[in-house]
């Protein structure tokens, strides 16, 4: 999908490492405005080519006073002014704007973290919909503060402690908020963003999934030649299935789907998925059993990142082999490989800016992003790589993908390899985990909770504990259960089950799965943890 072809003004976010940066992206898209996030230290050419209507400078864990602190490229200010581009600095981005335009940022006498109250001093511009003296609670997270504003700027709001909370220079179209309007802890934050985009910036809203579908089909037709064939890696999940359905609409029977049983699937996943592909989705799918190949390559491997790399490499080897077989059959060598990579996959696999590696750290390499070999023979098509999970589901509904399939919880590309902590080939870990996971998911569905949970799964832990089963002492495995609520997987909170559900589940697992005598629950949010255990 070409961002410049979307029927809306682009809001471009320059990421300086805030944990909330990608929440800004989601909030803006919820206003039917297309937003895109790139590294804050991207070259000026990269920024200008996208032709944004608005640029947002994100927050981040840095101080403008440190030598290694990230910043926008030289020439950015001049380009924004000469092209009438609106600029909004948030938190660190606010301080960066003040600092680079000749103002003064210093360590605050009273640092502000968490919920704070601010009051409006100037009922125009950013707060043109408010009255002077109006108050609201906002979410602050800063130690530095603006001590002196650049020429032409005015204070729009202050905190109750007296620090500058909002500034503006309407003639230059530069604005700044010291707080985070994108988080739910700032109750009026969305109203502020809505007013800023539509009343101040006059942004045109046109971000619709129907437009995305039409544009993506056009891009695919333009990319794939009339005689070229495409291979699609189907995992059985929502992402790859929606991606395959789009490609099928674009090029028809020149799409060849392949489903690989890598030995790391859930309980009866292969049979269930193949039935859905054939009966409901009518996609042409070849099933390849490569269980032995994957498990042999993974034997003895315990590092989760290494597992992902190995699995990515084995997948590509299989796809290359499949392509060769197709070439013999068709007389034409397939040119492309389709994958259901999502925007969060790209975000988490790329190191964004401030630590020497750019602002945020690589959280994990996704097998379809960070695990691809450099010498891969097939060219990639990733029709969903600018979309979040809920947007992919919307796209699937437009294409009449069955609702029950769209509501399936996400399943990681590396499968159970990242849910077995340790060597997947030892201690009958995979079989035990499949049984536990099946009981857990079935119990959730029977209780009518499945659609209220974003993702639920079981984890095989690399420890054993003492138990008593059948009046005998046991030394058996410990398994964990995890269920989270989320909008897009970028942040998540743990699901609070009723005690009776947990008690019944624990009893059911320990009585039904040989080798398990203890069940624990993960009650950690993301952040600080990730959703998967790895």
């Amino acid at each position: 999908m070409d961002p410049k072809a979307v029927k809306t003004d682009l809001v471009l976010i320059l990421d300086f490492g805030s944990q909330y940066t990608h929440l800004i992206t989601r909030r803006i898209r919820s206003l039917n405005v297309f937003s895109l996030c790139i590294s804050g230290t991207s070259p000026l050419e990269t920024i200008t080519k996208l032709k944004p209507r608005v640029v947002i400078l994100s927050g981040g864990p840095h101080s403008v006073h440190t030598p290694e602190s990230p910043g926008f490229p030289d020439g950015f200010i001049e380009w924004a002014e000469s092209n009438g581009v609106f600029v909004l600095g948030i938190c660190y981005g606010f301080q960066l704007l003040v600092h680079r335009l000749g103002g003064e940022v210093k360590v605050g006498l009273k640092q502000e973290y968490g919920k704070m109250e601010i009051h409006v001093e100037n009922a125009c511009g950013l707060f043109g919909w408010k009255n002077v003296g109006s108050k609201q609670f906002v979410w602050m997270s800063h130690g530095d503060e603006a001590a002196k504003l650049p020429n032409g700027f005015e204070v729009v709001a202050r905190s109750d402690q007296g620090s500058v909370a909002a500034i503006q220079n309407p003639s230059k179209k530069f604005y700044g908020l010291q707080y985070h309007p994108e988080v739910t802890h700032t109750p009026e934050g969305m109203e502020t963003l809505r007013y800023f985009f539509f009343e101040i910036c006059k942004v045109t809203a046109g971000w619709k999934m129907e437009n995305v579908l039409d544009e993506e089909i056009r891009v695919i037709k333009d990319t794939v030649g009339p005689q070229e064939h495409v291979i699609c890696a189907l995992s059985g999940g929502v992402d790859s299935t929606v991606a395959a359905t789009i490609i099928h609409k674009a090029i028809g029977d020149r799409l060849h789907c392949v489903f690989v049983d890598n030995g790391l699937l859930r309980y009866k996943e292969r049979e269930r998925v193949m039935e859905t592909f054939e009966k409901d989705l009518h996609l042409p799918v070849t099933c390849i059993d490569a269980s032995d190949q994957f498990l042999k390559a993974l034997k003895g491997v315990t590092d989760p990142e290494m597992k992902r790399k190995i699995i990515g490499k084995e997948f590509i080897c299989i796809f290359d082999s499949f392509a060769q077989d197709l070439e013999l059959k068709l007389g034409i060598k397939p040119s492309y490989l389709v994958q259901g990579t999502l925007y969060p996959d790209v975000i988490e696999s790329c190191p964004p800016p401030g630590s020497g590696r750019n602002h945020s750290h690589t959280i994990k390499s996704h097998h379809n992003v960070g695990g691809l070999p450099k010498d891969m023979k097939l060219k990639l098509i990733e029709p969903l790589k600018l979309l979040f999970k809920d947007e992919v589901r919307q796209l699937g509904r437009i294409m009449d993908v069955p609702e029950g399939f769209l509501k399936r919880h996400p399943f990681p590309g590396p499968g159970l390899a990242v849910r077995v902590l340790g060597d997947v080939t030892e201690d009958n870990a995979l079989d035990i985990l499949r049984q536990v996971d099946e009981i857990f998911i079935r119990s959730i569905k029977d209780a009518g909770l499945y659609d209220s949970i974003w993702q639920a799964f079981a984890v095989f832990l690399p420890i054993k504990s003492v138990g008593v089963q059948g009046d005998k002492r046991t030394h058996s495995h410990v398994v964990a259960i995890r269920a989270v609520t989320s909008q897009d997987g970028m942040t998540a909170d743990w699901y609070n089950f009723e005690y009776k559900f947990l008690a019944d589940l624990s009893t059911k697992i320990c009585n039904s799965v040989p080798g398990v005598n203890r069940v624990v629950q993960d009650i950690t949010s993301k952040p600080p943890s990730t959703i998967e255990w790895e």
Side-chain angles (χ1 to χ4, degrees), residues 304-319:
E305 191 68 5
M306 184 60 68
K307 289 180 183 179
R308 288 180 176 272
K309 299 289 187 183
I310 290 172
I311 291 168
K313 181 179 179 180
E314 293 302 322
F315 267 124
I316 297 303
C317 289
I318 290 171
F319 299 144

Side-chain angles (χ1 to χ4, degrees), residues 23-35:
L23 184 57
I24 303 174
T25 311
R26 290 292 298 113
R27 293 287 189 250
I28 297 170
R29 290 189 186 185
S30 72
L31 297 173
N32 297 119
V33 174
F34 183 54
S35 58

Side-chain angles (χ1 to χ4, degrees), residues 97-247:
L97 197 61
V98 170
H99 178 68
R100 292 284 288 269
L101 288 174
E104 182 184 356
V105 176
K106 66 178 184 180
V107 177
L109 296 177
K110 294 181 179 180
Q111 298 180 341
E112 296 178 322
Y113 297 102
K115 185 178 288 188
M116 304 289 294
E117 194 171 39
I118 67 170
H119 60 270
V120 175
E121 286 195 353
N122 195 338
C124 66
L126 271 174
F127 290 109
W129 54 295
K130 289 284 190 179
N131 297 318
V132 173
S134 295
K135 294 189 175 185
Q136 62 174 299
F137 283 102
V138 300
W139 190 257
M140 294 280 198
S141 182
H142 67 101
D144 292 349
E145 66 178 38
K148 177 185 176 183
L149 298 187
N151 291 335
F153 278 80
E154 58 187 346
V155 176
V156 185
R158 291 184 184 272
S159 73
D160 278 357
Q161 294 188 154
S163 65
V164 178
I167 61 172
Q168 63 186 22
N169 185 335
S171 65
K172 291 184 179 292
K173 301 183 178 179
F174 292 164
Y175 299 82
L177 295 172
Q178 181 58 81
Y179 62 89
H180 289 277
E182 70 275 17
V183 301
T184 55
H185 301 297
T186 301
E188 296 184 58
M190 280 302 292
E191 286 303 313
T192 302
L193 289 176
R194 183 180 286 107
Y195 187 86
F196 175 70
F197 292 129
F198 298 132
E199 300 301 326
I200 296 177
C201 305
K202 305 298 182 183
V203 165
T204 300
W207 171 247
K208 297 179 181 179
M209 284 299 111
E210 290 83 357
N211 300 141
V212 173
L213 177 59
D214 293 342
E215 170 62 16
E216 200 55 62
I217 290 175
R218 184 193 66 78
V219 170
I220 292 164
K221 287 181 176 179
D222 290 345
T223 302
V224 180
Q227 303 301 319
E228 290 184 308
H229 287 248
V230 176
I231 293 173
C232 182
L234 280 176
S235 68
V238 174
D239 309 332
S240 63
T241 301
V242 170
T245 306
I246 294 173
I247 303 295

Side-chain angles (χ1 to χ4, degrees), residues 36 220 248 328 414 448 455:
L36 192 63
I220 292 164
H248 196 243
L328 292 175
Q455 188 175 16

Side-chain angles (χ1 to χ4, degrees), residues 201-440:
C201 305
K202 305 298 182 183
V203 165
T204 300
W207 171 247
K208 297 179 181 179
M209 284 299 111
E210 290 83 357
N211 300 141
V212 173
L213 177 59
D214 293 342
E215 170 62 16
E216 200 55 62
I217 290 175
R218 184 193 66 78
V219 170
I220 292 164
K221 287 181 176 179
D222 290 345
T223 302
V224 180
Q227 303 301 319
E228 290 184 308
H229 287 248
V230 176
I231 293 173
C232 182
L234 280 176
S235 68
V238 174
D239 309 332
S240 63
T241 301
V242 170
T245 306
I246 294 173
I247 303 295
H248 196 243
K249 282 183 174 291
I251 65 171
D253 59 8
R254 288 184 289 128
L255 169 69
H256 308 273
C257 298
V258 56
F259 176 77
V260 179
D261 183 349
N262 58 4
L264 303 166
L265 302 178
R266 290 171 288 195
Y267 183 78
K268 291 188 177 180
E269 179 80 350
R270 176 176 168 179
E271 297 88 341
R272 292 169 177 173
V273 164
M274 288 302 295
E275 182 179 4
T276 300
F277 287 153
E278 292 168 3
K279 290 186 176 181
D280 296 327
L281 301 175
H282 310 294
L283 290 173
V285 185
T286 298
C287 182
I288 297 176
D289 187 347
S291 303
D292 293 341
Q293 177 178 334
F294 276 84
L295 296 181
K296 182 179 179 181
L298 289 168
K299 186 173 179 59
V301 179
T302 59
D303 179 72
E305 191 68 5
M306 184 60 68
K307 289 180 183 179
R308 288 180 176 272
K309 299 289 187 183
I310 290 172
I311 291 168
K313 181 179 179 180
E314 293 302 322
F315 267 124
I316 297 303
C317 289
I318 290 171
F319 299 144
D320 279 341
S321 177
F322 182 69
Q324 292 173 17
D325 292 341
L326 270 180
E327 183 179 5
L328 292 175
K329 178 181 177 182
L330 302 171
I332 300 174
K333 184 176 182 179
S335 305
Y336 295 92
L337 171 66
V338 178
Q339 293 197 128
T341 309
L342 300 192
Y343 199 33
D345 298 341
V346 176
I347 291 165
E348 291 189 339
S349 293
C350 298
S355 59
R357 310 174 56 238
N358 278 345
H359 316 320
S360 65
H361 296 274
T362 299
I363 297 171
K364 56 191 172 188
S365 290
H366 291 258
H367 79 287
N368 54 342
V369 179
L372 300 180
K374 294 180 180 179
D375 60 348
M376 188 178 72
K377 299 179 180 66
L378 297 167
K379 292 174 284 188
L380 273 182
I381 297 179
E382 298 172 300
L384 311 177
K385 70 178 181 180
L386 294 182
L387 301 180
F388 291 90
K389 175 70 76 172
D390 58 323
E391 293 171 333
V392 172
R393 288 190 169 115
Q394 290 178 44
L395 207 56
R397 291 185 183 98
I398 294 171
M399 297 187 295
D400 295 322
V401 175
E403 189 68 20
F405 196 86
L406 292 175
K407 288 183 177 180
R408 294 191 81 196
H409 290 178
F411 186 63
L416 299 182
V418 293
R419 294 178 179 175
V420 172
L421 303 194
D423 187 341
V424 300
T425 65
E426 290 185 349
D427 293 326
N428 198 31
L430 289 170
D431 285 340
I432 289 174
L433 183 56
R434 286 190 186 99
Q435 294 178 65
V436 173
D437 190 74
E438 175 70 8
I439 292 171
F440 183 29

